[in-house]
Amino acid sequence: MRLLLYSWKANNEQLLADNLMSLGFEVLWFDKECRHFTRDMELAAAMIPCIHRESIEAVVSFNYFPIISMICDTCKIPYYAWVYDCPHFTLYAKQITLPCNHIGVFDREMVRKLQNKGVQTVYHVPLSADVERFSDVIGNAGRGETEKFRSDLSFVGSLYTDEHNYYDRVLSENDKSVLDGFIRRQCFRYDKDYLGEAMNAGELDIRVIREKMEEQGLMLGEDYFAEAEEILKAVVLEKKVTVEERRILLQNVAETFGDRYRFDLYTGSVLDDFPILRKHHRGIVDYHKQMPLVFANSRVNLNVSLRSIHSGIPHRVLDIMACGGFVMTNRQPEIMEYFEDGRELVTFGSMDECLEKITYYLEHEEERHKIASMGHRVVRERFGYREGIVRLFELED
């Protein structure tokens, strides 16, 4: 099959192309910025002639672009999209039901929600990690570079102190005083969806959030069919829960272990309001060249998942294990389905449990190395890009 790969400079596009070609696909690249997800006629005007001129049989991309599904529908060819963001709101675009779509989503709960709305073009495709490429980066690193990223505890990720923290950006202190209790109740509780239950029971009224978001033009428009409450829960409330969980956990890690162990925080977030975290801030790391060295050379790598990921395995968890690193993460349904806790990774269900397990595994070197080794093997065997592409294209491997 002759494929057109739509490039928007996403991580791992070259890996996707390389693995597609290893499976026998012919891959041509198409690189033009998408300026509007549903109405970019300039993109359509450039891509449609390319499809005809190059005899393209299908288009593929990371994440889902409704305008591309419209293009593929016009050209009568399939569109394969592999979604690695959650929430990913273009999945609620009206074009999602076009029969040309073949959309792999890594969060099984998101797939279930869409299918319950009558969407039959989405299916479950877990994310992948490239063990070989990470191994090359780690193996070719000099001693100085390796030592630079050697750590006892590390966290790589955002604390969402920027404009995307809509909870703090759009709401007044009075508005937040009503909602803060619901946020605190959900923090570090992974067994129940308290926010969803409170909304369904009428205990949590988010009309004020909707009004503030609409005033600033931050709501989805008429091209989308999502219910406002569903969007606001993910982008405002669940994001705020993530903000609080990461802040509280990392501050406790710094206070508990910072004087005895090396704790490194890699983030682009502004930390002006978190003086204890500033002492451990090491800036940002390049995904391809430096992040693998952090994961491979940290005794314990922490993950705190976005709360809008309701079931799926976050990319960071797979990347850590693909680098041979030891990962400690909050519990997620699919993590518990695909991995055995204490065998290939370690999970926690509360902040206290996380702190206790950090202490234990920092003191049990051999056990920690064994778990990291087993996790590395499982990711190499079951979560490679070849396996992901086979699932996305529904091939027989």
Side-chain angles (χ1 to χ4, degrees):
M1 184 182 289
R2 191 170 170 85
L3 297 177
L4 190 69
L5 192 160
Y6 175 66
S7 171
W8 52 281
K9 305 299 187 291
N11 283 330
N12 297 331
E13 286 178 344
Q14 187 61 56
L15 283 171
L16 177 62
D18 291 345
N19 280 273
L20 283 166
M21 289 186 287
S22 74
L23 284 164
F25 292 96
E26 186 178 355
V27 179
L28 284 75
W29 292 68
F30 185 91
D31 183 356
K32 182 176 176 58
E33 182 183 359
C34 180
R35 298 182 180 276
H36 194 287
F37 288 124
T38 60
R39 304 185 183 190
D40 191 342
M41 293 302 104
E42 289 185 12
L43 180 65
M47 185 178 285
I48 290 173
C50 177
I51 289 171
H52 292 308
R53 182 176 63 253
E54 301 293 342
S55 301
I56 297 298
E57 297 172 84
V59 178
V60 62
S61 71
F62 278 128
N63 284 348
Y64 171 65
F65 292 80
I67 185 65
I68 296 181
S69 65
M70 294 169 68
I71 291 168
C72 290
D73 183 62
T74 298
C75 296
K76 306 302 180 188
I77 61 173
Y79 173 36
Y80 294 90
W82 194 355
V83 174
Y84 61 47
D85 282 336
C86 190
H88 187 56
F89 294 125
T90 58
L91 291 172
Y92 290 98
K94 295 175 182 177
Q95 292 83 4
I96 192 74
T97 59
L98 289 173
C100 63
N101 290 328
H102 303 265
I103 305 168
V105 178
F106 82 98
D107 188 89
R108 184 182 285 124
E109 181 63 16
M110 174 62 75
V111 173
R112 185 191 66 79
K113 287 181 179 179
L114 288 165
Q115 290 179 345
N116 285 345
K117 294 178 182 293
V119 178
Q120 299 302 315
T121 56
V122 296
Y123 46 100
H124 182 236
V125 180
L127 298 176
S128 294
D130 189 72
V131 172
E132 287 72 23
R133 182 176 60 83
F134 285 146
S135 296
D136 287 344
V137 172
I138 295 163
N140 292 327
R143 182 175 179 180
E145 201 172 9
T146 298
E147 290 301 318
K148 176 183 176 182
F149 295 107
R150 194 174 299 282
S151 183
D152 296 305
L153 285 155
S154 69
F155 175 81
V156 179
S158 177
L159 273 70
Y160 301 106
T161 55
D162 59 13
E163 69 275 10
H164 298 297
N165 180 357
Y166 296 114
Y167 187 91
D168 293 322
R169 173 182 167 185
V170 306
L171 296 178
S172 68
E173 292 303 315
N174 184 59
D175 297 329
K176 289 187 283 187
S177 67
V178 178
L179 298 167
D180 281 349
F182 293 99
I183 299 296
R184 287 194 298 270
R185 188 182 185 194
Q186 187 67 74
C187 282
F188 300 106
R189 291 301 304 270
Y190 303 104
D191 55 337
K192 291 188 70 174
D193 180 10
Y194 287 109
L195 292 175
E197 290 179 0
M199 289 172 64
N200 292 335
E203 299 173 15
L204 177 54
D205 187 349
I206 62 172
R207 283 178 295 181
V208 65
I209 302 177
R210 179 171 182 169
E211 290 171 1
K212 297 293 178 65
M213 295 285 281
E214 287 175 343
E215 287 173 6
Q216 298 196 30
L218 298 172
M219 295 295 290
L220 296 177
E222 61 183 3
D223 294 341
Y224 299 83
F225 63 84
E227 297 176 4
E229 289 74 14
E230 192 171 359
I231 298 300
L232 294 175
K233 178 173 179 276
V235 78
V236 180
L237 299 178
E238 290 178 332
K239 175 68 72 65
K240 180 60 175 177
V241 173
T242 306
V243 169
E244 290 304 300
E245 286 180 338
R246 291 185 179 183
R247 176 186 65 80
I248 293 169
L249 179 59
L250 294 175
Q251 286 181 325
N252 273 272
V253 167
E255 291 169 359
T256 305
F257 302 101
D259 293 334
R260 291 181 291 151
Y261 297 100
R262 176 172 169 175
F263 167 46
D264 293 328
L265 171 60
Y266 297 95
T267 183
S269 300
V270 177
L271 300 176
D272 292 346
D273 296 331
F274 313 120
I276 192 170
L277 294 182
R278 288 206 304 270
K279 295 192 301 182
H280 302 278
H281 188 212
R282 305 290 181 254
I284 59 175
V285 284
D286 178 82
Y287 179 87
H288 298 285
K289 298 177 181 178
Q290 297 174 315
M291 185 194 73
L293 301 179
V294 174
F295 293 160
N297 294 293
S298 296
R299 296 169 71 197
V300 174
N301 293 280
L302 295 171
N303 175 69
V304 182
S305 303
L306 276 168
R307 276 307 188 115
S308 51
I309 303 174
H310 290 164
S311 69
I313 307 171
H315 221 159
R316 184 178 292 111
V317 169
L318 295 176
D319 282 344
I320 293 169
M321 289 192 283
C323 295
F326 174 89
V327 58
M328 187 176 295
T329 179
N330 60 280
R331 296 191 180 108
Q332 294 275 107
E334 291 180 56
I335 289 177
M336 309 308 290
E337 175 185 342
Y338 286 94
F339 301 99
E340 184 177 337
D341 190 10
R343 185 172 184 267
E344 294 124 3
L345 46 63
V346 171
T347 69
F348 58 86
S350 69
M351 183 180 67
D352 289 343
E353 184 182 0
C354 180
L355 298 178
E356 290 171 5
K357 287 186 172 180
I358 288 173
T359 300
Y360 178 86
Y361 283 104
L362 284 175
E363 295 172 353
H364 291 78
E365 199 87 4
E366 185 176 342
E367 191 172 347
R368 197 183 66 248
H369 281 303
K370 184 177 179 181
I371 291 170
S373 178
M374 290 295 293
H376 184 260
R377 189 183 79 178
V378 171
V379 169
R380 182 182 66 244
E381 293 176 352
R382 298 180 60 188
F383 290 90
Y385 271 84
R386 180 185 179 92
E387 289 74 21
I389 291 168
V390 166
R391 294 188 188 105
L392 179 64
F393 282 81
E394 300 179 291
L395 303 173
E396 292 186 10
D397 193 13

